[in-house]
């Protein structure tokens, strides 16, 4: 048989060959066309199975040219990981209209940000940046390139007007680092700050911080540009409804995030826009007692070509409770199986739809929209126009306002009572919004990220998850159920051959074991914070089997009761007996009269720990609750440095900051 290398070799280039050059060319062309036709046509490459048969438009990469073309003078860039910064950017864009300005919300990843200096070409123009801080003080994925550009450029931004609102969380050490850096750097490049930096705190009330900032921001903008509010407070729709009465259902999205039919025809590589449907092969309860449900789940990635490392995160895309979706449909009196598209009224926008369209209302409410969390104030304001009871309308608008009375009412009636959109619809009988407007207003349902509880060296074809099911009764007597954990809990493994699947992809992390296995590791992870350390310990065991010199491996775990929720007890004790786990320290917080937590055990072993850290180059890892545990652990290490190392408090803080910089103190925490 002739191979391609055979055809290109000297032996097959002589006049005496069986096939001449022209024959080879024709043969190759025909073969290529056949391969192209077979594979790509079969996969819908010719777009017979997608909604639009038109070729995709050429995307404009110059936001300046786009602003000129569409007569806009305000651009609102967003660095967003969960959609909140994008939502705030859209709200500022709508506000601009009320001040006689024309704005657009923009993803910096989609444009050439080096053109920022050209903004002064547009009269009375301004760039606003809604910048979330992600992870350990870094930018969001879509703002990474922009932040890299800011850091490396010496562009002169004189004449460029800007303002920044940062989104952060005070439980993390690097609070609002990205927003602060953006504001500082743009000013250093001689940009003109129109209004002071705003700092939102998600640990308190992020939306309240945003509203307070923009209530001062717009008057400052009016004064800066010499404009006045138009007085228009009416609802401004961003999308229009298109109902598809006669459509091939093969052209309708059923939960896919990107390519239509990607769930039926799975093709790597898999990412946030192309999810892998991983079969659930194990779903077992971890705790032996108590009223909670802690679970261990294993996902099969055999045929996915997905690779991961211990410490990475798995992103799963849950679906909402079908019963809640049905109740919304019943309350609004709509046929949830109606096929619709929500089409952006701004034809120049890169965001054509708020979620994949065409889709049914049922699919949108099940797969794409967040119906479980408390709605933000702007949603209440927009929906208030659809109430027929004057008192209900007054209360909704009051809650959406920035008045002290309105803030208190929103806090008590919505936040403290944990009313989701269904609860609000049920408790306000005269509220009857069109379901398409409701779908436009609700935020996107977000992926949930779990620290992977396995090592790829030991489990290359599966990813393990450790999670606790969220379910409790709220103040007003409703049962609150966490979307993702209850959805995962119900993915039971059956013996009839049917396997439930989980749409997922892997997100890389910086939470990594030391490059040298001989370095000691100190792991602190109470509760489900143990997840990445299960993977770490598995990997250290594998390294030992490979004959490598593996340093001390020390775990500090915490739970409530030894006989109830000592997670992975059998596995951990086996690792300890095998000498892989040098020390297993467990704090059972409620097995005695006074509570004992992991930080107490750290202090108990302070001499040993200080020697490992200061003399033996140990790496420290902390996983779990950011608000209390991570802070208390930090404090315990400061005290160890002071008491054993003889450092002052200031020196201790500086010492551990340097460990963070060197990659020897790593955190994987959440609030």
């Amino acid at each position: 048989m002739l191979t391609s290398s055979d055809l290109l070799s000297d032996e097959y280039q002589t006049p005496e060959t069986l096939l001449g050059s022209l024959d080879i060319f024709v043969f190759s062309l025909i073969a290529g066309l056949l391969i192209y036709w077979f594979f790509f046509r079969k996969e819908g490459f010719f777009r017979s199975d997608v909604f639009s048969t038109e070729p995709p438009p050429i995307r404009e990469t110059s936001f300046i040219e786009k602003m000129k073309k569409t007569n806009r003078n305000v651009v609102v860039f967003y660095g967003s990981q969960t959609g909140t910064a994008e939502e705030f950017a859209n709200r500022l864009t709508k506000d601009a209209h009320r001040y006689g300005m024309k704005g657009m919300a923009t993803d910096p990843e989609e444009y050439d940000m080096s053109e920022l200096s050209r903004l002064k070409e547009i009269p009375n123009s301004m760039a606003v940046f809604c910048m979330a801080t992600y992870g350990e003080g870094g930018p969001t994925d879509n703002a990474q390139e922009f932040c890299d550009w800011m850091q490396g450029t010496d562009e002169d931004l004189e004449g460029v007007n800007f303002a920044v609102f940062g989104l952060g969380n005070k439980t993390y050490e690097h609070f609002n680092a990205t927003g602060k850096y953006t504001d500082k750097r743009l000013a250093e490049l001689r940009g003109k700050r129109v209004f002071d930096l705003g700092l939102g705190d998600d640990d308190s009330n992020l939306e309240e911080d945003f509203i307070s900032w923009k209530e001062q921001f717009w008057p400052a903008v009016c004064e800066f540009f010499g404009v006045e509010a138009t007085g228009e407070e009416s609802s401004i729709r961003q999308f229009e409804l298109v109902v598809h009465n006669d459509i091939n259902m093969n052209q309708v999205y059923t939960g896919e995030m990107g390519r239509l039919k990607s769930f039926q025809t799975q093709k790597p590589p898999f990412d946030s826009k192309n999810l892998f449907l991983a079969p659930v092969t194990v779903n077992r309860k971890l705790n032996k007692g108590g009223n909670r449900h802690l679970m261990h789940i294993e996902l099969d990635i055999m045929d996915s070509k997905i690779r991961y490392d211990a410490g990475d995160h798995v992103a799963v895309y849950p679906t909402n409770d079908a019963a809640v979706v049905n109740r919304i449909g019943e309350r609004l009196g709509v046929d949830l199986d109606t096929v619709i598209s929500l089409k952006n009224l701004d034809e120049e926008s890169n965001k054509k739809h708020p979620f994949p369209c065409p889709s049914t209302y049922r699919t949108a409410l099940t797969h794409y929209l967040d119906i479980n969390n408390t709605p933000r104030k702007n949603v209440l304001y927009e929906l208030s126009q659809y109430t027929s009871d004057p008192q209900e309308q007054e209360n909704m608008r009051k809650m959406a306002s920035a008045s002290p009375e309105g803030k208190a009412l929103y806090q008590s009636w919505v936040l403290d009572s944990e009313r989701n959109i269904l609860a609000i619809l049920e408790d306000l009988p005269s509220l009857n919004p069109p379901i398409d407007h409701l779908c436009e207003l609700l935020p996107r349902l977000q992926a949930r990220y779990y620290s992977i509880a396995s090592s790829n060296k030991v489990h290359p074809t599966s990813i393990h998850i450790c999670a606790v099911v969220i379910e409790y009764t709220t103040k007003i007597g409703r049962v609150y159920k966490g979307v993702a954990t209850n959805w995962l809990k119900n993915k039971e493994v059956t013996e009839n051959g049917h396997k439930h699947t989980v749409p997922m992809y892997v997100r890389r992390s910086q939470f990594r074991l030391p490059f040298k296995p001989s370095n000691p590791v100190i792991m602190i992870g109470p509760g489900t914070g143990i997840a990445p350390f299960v993977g770490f310990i598995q990997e250290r065991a594998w390294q030992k089997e490979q004959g490598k010199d593996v340093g001390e491996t020390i775990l500090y775990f915490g739970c409530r009761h030894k006989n109830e929720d000592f997670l992975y007890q059998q596995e951990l004790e086996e690792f300890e007996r095998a000498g892989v786990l040098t020390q297993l320290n467990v704090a059972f917080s409620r097995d005695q009269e006074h509570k004992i937590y992991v930080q107490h055990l750290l202090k108990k072993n302070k001499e040993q720990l200080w020697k490992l850290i200061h003399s033996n180059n140990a790496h420290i890892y902390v996983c779990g609750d950011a608000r209390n545990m991570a802070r208390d652990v930090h404090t315990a290490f400061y005290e160890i440095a002071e008491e054993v190392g003889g450092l002052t408090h200031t020196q201790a803080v500086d010492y551990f900051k340097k460990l963070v910089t060197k990659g020897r103190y790593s955190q994987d925490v959440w609030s």
Side-chain angles (χ1 to χ4, degrees), residues 69-102:
K69 181 180 174 183
T70 56
N71 296 315
R72 298 170 198 262
N73 58 351
V74 177
V75 57
V76 188
F77 294 104
Y78 55 84
S80 188
Q81 199 72 29
T82 63
T84 306
E86 180 180 1
E87 179 197 324
F88 287 179
N90 284 322
R91 286 162 71 171
L92 287 171
T93 301
K94 283 187 178 183
D95 286 346
H97 179 80
R98 298 185 176 113
Y99 291 88
M101 306 176 89
K102 195 174 179 186

Short mmCIF file of all heavy atoms in Angstrom, two decimals, residues 69-102:
data_model
loop_
_atom_site.label_atom_id
_atom_site.label_comp_id
_atom_site.label_asym_id
_atom_site.label_seq_id
_atom_site.Cartn_x
_atom_site.Cartn_y
_atom_site.Cartn_z
N LYS A 69 -19.08 54.02 13.95
CA LYS A 69 -20.09 53.56 13.00
C LYS A 69 -21.49 53.62 13.59
O LYS A 69 -22.47 53.89 12.88
CB LYS A 69 -19.74 52.12 12.60
CG LYS A 69 -20.67 51.48 11.58
CD LYS A 69 -20.21 50.06 11.29
CE LYS A 69 -21.20 49.33 10.40
NZ LYS A 69 -20.79 47.92 10.17
N THR A 70 -21.61 53.38 14.89
CA THR A 70 -22.92 53.31 15.54
C THR A 70 -23.22 54.52 16.41
O THR A 70 -24.17 54.51 17.20
CB THR A 70 -23.03 52.02 16.38
OG1 THR A 70 -21.94 51.99 17.32
CG2 THR A 70 -22.95 50.79 15.49
N ASN A 71 -22.37 55.56 16.29
CA ASN A 71 -22.58 56.83 17.02
C ASN A 71 -22.66 56.63 18.53
O ASN A 71 -23.54 57.15 19.20
CB ASN A 71 -23.85 57.53 16.53
CG ASN A 71 -23.73 57.95 15.08
OD1 ASN A 71 -22.71 58.50 14.67
ND2 ASN A 71 -24.77 57.68 14.29
N ARG A 72 -21.71 55.89 19.08
CA ARG A 72 -21.66 55.67 20.53
C ARG A 72 -20.50 56.47 21.12
O ARG A 72 -19.47 56.63 20.46
CB ARG A 72 -21.50 54.19 20.85
CG ARG A 72 -22.66 53.34 20.35
CD ARG A 72 -22.34 51.86 20.46
NE ARG A 72 -23.23 51.08 19.62
CZ ARG A 72 -24.31 50.45 20.05
NH1 ARG A 72 -24.65 50.51 21.32
NH2 ARG A 72 -25.07 49.76 19.22
N ASN A 73 -20.69 56.89 22.35
CA ASN A 73 -19.60 57.63 23.00
C ASN A 73 -19.23 57.06 24.38
O ASN A 73 -18.36 57.59 25.06
CB ASN A 73 -19.94 59.12 23.12
CG ASN A 73 -21.23 59.37 23.89
OD1 ASN A 73 -21.97 58.45 24.20
ND2 ASN A 73 -21.49 60.64 24.20
N VAL A 74 -19.89 55.98 24.79
CA VAL A 74 -19.56 55.32 26.05
C VAL A 74 -19.33 53.84 25.77
O VAL A 74 -20.18 53.17 25.18
CB VAL A 74 -20.68 55.48 27.10
CG1 VAL A 74 -20.33 54.71 28.38
CG2 VAL A 74 -20.91 56.95 27.42
N VAL A 75 -18.17 53.34 26.19
CA VAL A 75 -17.90 51.91 26.09
C VAL A 75 -17.66 51.37 27.50
O VAL A 75 -16.89 51.95 28.27
CB VAL A 75 -16.70 51.60 25.15
CG1 VAL A 75 -15.43 52.31 25.61
CG2 VAL A 75 -16.47 50.10 25.03
N VAL A 76 -18.38 50.31 27.85
CA VAL A 76 -18.25 49.72 29.18
C VAL A 76 -17.63 48.34 29.03
O VAL A 76 -18.28 47.41 28.55
CB VAL A 76 -19.61 49.63 29.91
CG1 VAL A 76 -19.40 49.20 31.36
CG2 VAL A 76 -20.36 50.96 29.85
N PHE A 77 -16.38 48.21 29.41
CA PHE A 77 -15.68 46.93 29.34
C PHE A 77 -15.92 46.15 30.63
O PHE A 77 -15.99 46.73 31.71
CB PHE A 77 -14.17 47.14 29.17
CG PHE A 77 -13.79 47.78 27.86
CD1 PHE A 77 -13.42 49.12 27.80
CD2 PHE A 77 -13.80 47.05 26.69
CE1 PHE A 77 -13.06 49.72 26.61
CE2 PHE A 77 -13.45 47.63 25.48
CZ PHE A 77 -13.07 48.97 25.43
N TYR A 78 -16.03 44.84 30.50
CA TYR A 78 -16.22 44.03 31.70
C TYR A 78 -15.23 42.87 31.73
O TYR A 78 -14.98 42.20 30.74
CB TYR A 78 -17.66 43.49 31.78
CG TYR A 78 -18.13 42.70 30.58
CD1 TYR A 78 -17.84 41.33 30.44
CD2 TYR A 78 -18.88 43.32 29.57
CE1 TYR A 78 -18.29 40.63 29.34
CE2 TYR A 78 -19.31 42.62 28.47
CZ TYR A 78 -19.02 41.27 28.35
OH TYR A 78 -19.44 40.56 27.25
N GLY A 79 -14.63 42.70 32.92
CA GLY A 79 -13.83 41.50 33.21
C GLY A 79 -14.67 40.64 34.11
O GLY A 79 -14.83 40.95 35.30
N SER A 80 -15.26 39.57 33.55
CA SER A 80 -16.29 38.84 34.28
C SER A 80 -16.03 37.34 34.23
O SER A 80 -15.73 36.81 33.17
CB SER A 80 -17.67 39.14 33.65
OG SER A 80 -18.71 38.59 34.41
N GLN A 81 -16.16 36.68 35.40
CA GLN A 81 -16.00 35.23 35.45
C GLN A 81 -17.34 34.54 35.65
O GLN A 81 -17.58 33.48 35.09
CB GLN A 81 -15.04 34.84 36.59
CG GLN A 81 -14.46 33.45 36.46
CD GLN A 81 -13.43 33.33 35.35
OE1 GLN A 81 -12.76 34.29 35.02
NE2 GLN A 81 -13.30 32.15 34.78
N THR A 82 -18.22 35.14 36.42
CA THR A 82 -19.51 34.51 36.72
C THR A 82 -20.69 35.26 36.11
O THR A 82 -21.83 34.87 36.31
CB THR A 82 -19.73 34.43 38.24
OG1 THR A 82 -19.78 35.76 38.78
CG2 THR A 82 -18.61 33.66 38.93
N GLY A 83 -20.41 36.35 35.40
CA GLY A 83 -21.49 37.09 34.73
C GLY A 83 -21.93 38.35 35.44
O GLY A 83 -22.66 39.16 34.87
N THR A 84 -21.51 38.56 36.70
CA THR A 84 -21.97 39.73 37.44
C THR A 84 -21.41 41.03 36.87
O THR A 84 -22.14 42.01 36.70
CB THR A 84 -21.59 39.62 38.93
OG1 THR A 84 -22.09 38.38 39.43
CG2 THR A 84 -22.19 40.75 39.73
N ALA A 85 -20.11 41.05 36.58
CA ALA A 85 -19.51 42.27 36.00
C ALA A 85 -20.14 42.58 34.65
O ALA A 85 -20.36 43.75 34.30
CB ALA A 85 -17.99 42.10 35.87
N GLU A 86 -20.43 41.56 33.88
CA GLU A 86 -21.10 41.77 32.58
C GLU A 86 -22.49 42.36 32.79
O GLU A 86 -22.91 43.26 32.07
CB GLU A 86 -21.20 40.44 31.83
CG GLU A 86 -21.87 40.58 30.47
CD GLU A 86 -21.98 39.26 29.72
OE1 GLU A 86 -21.56 38.22 30.25
OE2 GLU A 86 -22.50 39.29 28.58
N GLU A 87 -23.20 41.84 33.80
CA GLU A 87 -24.54 42.36 34.10
C GLU A 87 -24.46 43.83 34.50
O GLU A 87 -25.25 44.66 34.04
CB GLU A 87 -25.16 41.54 35.23
CG GLU A 87 -26.54 42.02 35.63
CD GLU A 87 -26.97 41.48 36.98
OE1 GLU A 87 -26.64 40.32 37.30
OE2 GLU A 87 -27.63 42.23 37.73
N PHE A 88 -23.49 44.19 35.35
CA PHE A 88 -23.33 45.58 35.76
C PHE A 88 -22.98 46.46 34.56
O PHE A 88 -23.44 47.60 34.45
CB PHE A 88 -22.25 45.70 36.83
CG PHE A 88 -22.65 45.19 38.19
CD1 PHE A 88 -21.76 45.22 39.26
CD2 PHE A 88 -23.93 44.68 38.42
CE1 PHE A 88 -22.13 44.76 40.52
CE2 PHE A 88 -24.31 44.22 39.68
CZ PHE A 88 -23.40 44.25 40.72
N ALA A 89 -22.17 45.95 33.65
CA ALA A 89 -21.80 46.70 32.44
C ALA A 89 -23.05 46.97 31.60
O ALA A 89 -23.23 48.08 31.07
CB ALA A 89 -20.76 45.93 31.64
N ASN A 90 -23.92 45.99 31.48
CA ASN A 90 -25.15 46.18 30.72
C ASN A 90 -26.06 47.21 31.39
O ASN A 90 -26.71 48.01 30.70
CB ASN A 90 -25.90 44.85 30.59
CG ASN A 90 -25.28 43.93 29.55
OD1 ASN A 90 -24.83 44.38 28.50
ND2 ASN A 90 -25.24 42.63 29.83
N ARG A 91 -26.07 47.23 32.71
CA ARG A 91 -26.90 48.20 33.42
C ARG A 91 -26.36 49.62 33.23
O ARG A 91 -27.14 50.57 33.07
CB ARG A 91 -26.99 47.82 34.90
CG ARG A 91 -27.89 46.62 35.12
CD ARG A 91 -27.70 45.93 36.45
NE ARG A 91 -28.19 46.71 37.58
CZ ARG A 91 -28.29 46.23 38.82
NH1 ARG A 91 -27.94 44.97 39.07
NH2 ARG A 91 -28.73 46.99 39.81
N LEU A 92 -25.05 49.77 33.22
CA LEU A 92 -24.46 51.09 32.98
C LEU A 92 -24.75 51.55 31.55
O LEU A 92 -24.98 52.74 31.30
CB LEU A 92 -22.95 51.05 33.22
CG LEU A 92 -22.52 50.97 34.69
CD1 LEU A 92 -21.02 50.72 34.79
CD2 LEU A 92 -22.88 52.25 35.45
N THR A 93 -24.75 50.60 30.62
CA THR A 93 -25.05 50.94 29.23
C THR A 93 -26.48 51.44 29.09
O THR A 93 -26.75 52.42 28.39
CB THR A 93 -24.84 49.69 28.33
OG1 THR A 93 -23.49 49.25 28.46
CG2 THR A 93 -25.10 50.02 26.88
N LYS A 94 -27.41 50.78 29.79
CA LYS A 94 -28.80 51.24 29.78
C LYS A 94 -28.92 52.61 30.43
O LYS A 94 -29.66 53.48 29.95
CB LYS A 94 -29.69 50.23 30.52
CG LYS A 94 -30.03 48.99 29.72
CD LYS A 94 -31.05 48.14 30.48
CE LYS A 94 -31.46 46.91 29.69
NZ LYS A 94 -32.50 46.12 30.38
N ASP A 95 -28.18 52.82 31.54
CA ASP A 95 -28.21 54.11 32.22
C ASP A 95 -27.75 55.24 31.30
O ASP A 95 -28.29 56.35 31.34
CB ASP A 95 -27.29 54.08 33.45
CG ASP A 95 -27.87 53.28 34.60
OD1 ASP A 95 -29.07 52.96 34.55
OD2 ASP A 95 -27.12 52.95 35.54
N ALA A 96 -26.74 54.96 30.48
CA ALA A 96 -26.19 56.00 29.60
C ALA A 96 -27.28 56.61 28.73
O ALA A 96 -27.29 57.82 28.47
CB ALA A 96 -25.08 55.41 28.73
N HIS A 97 -28.21 55.77 28.29
CA HIS A 97 -29.31 56.24 27.45
C HIS A 97 -30.14 57.29 28.19
O HIS A 97 -30.64 58.24 27.58
CB HIS A 97 -30.19 55.04 27.06
CG HIS A 97 -31.37 55.40 26.22
ND1 HIS A 97 -31.26 55.61 24.86
CD2 HIS A 97 -32.68 55.60 26.53
CE1 HIS A 97 -32.45 55.91 24.37
NE2 HIS A 97 -33.33 55.91 25.36
N ARG A 98 -30.24 57.13 29.50
CA ARG A 98 -31.05 58.06 30.29
C ARG A 98 -30.35 59.40 30.51
O ARG A 98 -30.93 60.34 31.03
CB ARG A 98 -31.39 57.43 31.65
CG ARG A 98 -32.22 56.14 31.52
CD ARG A 98 -32.65 55.59 32.87
NE ARG A 98 -33.51 54.43 32.68
CZ ARG A 98 -33.19 53.19 33.02
NH1 ARG A 98 -32.02 52.96 33.58
NH2 ARG A 98 -34.03 52.19 32.81
N TYR A 99 -29.08 59.44 30.12
CA TYR A 99 -28.32 60.69 30.25
C TYR A 99 -27.93 61.24 28.88
O TYR A 99 -26.98 62.00 28.75
CB TYR A 99 -27.07 60.45 31.11
CG TYR A 99 -27.41 60.18 32.55
CD1 TYR A 99 -27.68 58.88 32.98
CD2 TYR A 99 -27.53 61.21 33.47
CE1 TYR A 99 -28.03 58.63 34.30
CE2 TYR A 99 -27.88 60.97 34.78
CZ TYR A 99 -28.14 59.67 35.19
OH TYR A 99 -28.50 59.43 36.50
N GLY A 100 -28.70 60.83 27.88
CA GLY A 100 -28.48 61.36 26.54
C GLY A 100 -27.20 60.86 25.89
O GLY A 100 -26.73 61.45 24.92
N MET A 101 -26.64 59.79 26.42
CA MET A 101 -25.42 59.22 25.86
C MET A 101 -25.76 57.85 25.27
O MET A 101 -26.82 57.28 25.54
CB MET A 101 -24.33 59.09 26.92
CG MET A 101 -24.05 60.41 27.64
SD MET A 101 -22.84 60.28 28.98
CE MET A 101 -21.32 60.54 28.11
N LYS A 102 -24.87 57.33 24.46
CA LYS A 102 -25.13 56.04 23.83
C LYS A 102 -23.95 55.12 24.11
O LYS A 102 -22.81 55.44 23.77
CB LYS A 102 -25.33 56.21 22.32
CG LYS A 102 -25.97 55.00 21.64
CD LYS A 102 -26.29 55.27 20.19
CE LYS A 102 -26.90 54.02 19.55
NZ LYS A 102 -27.12 54.20 18.09
#
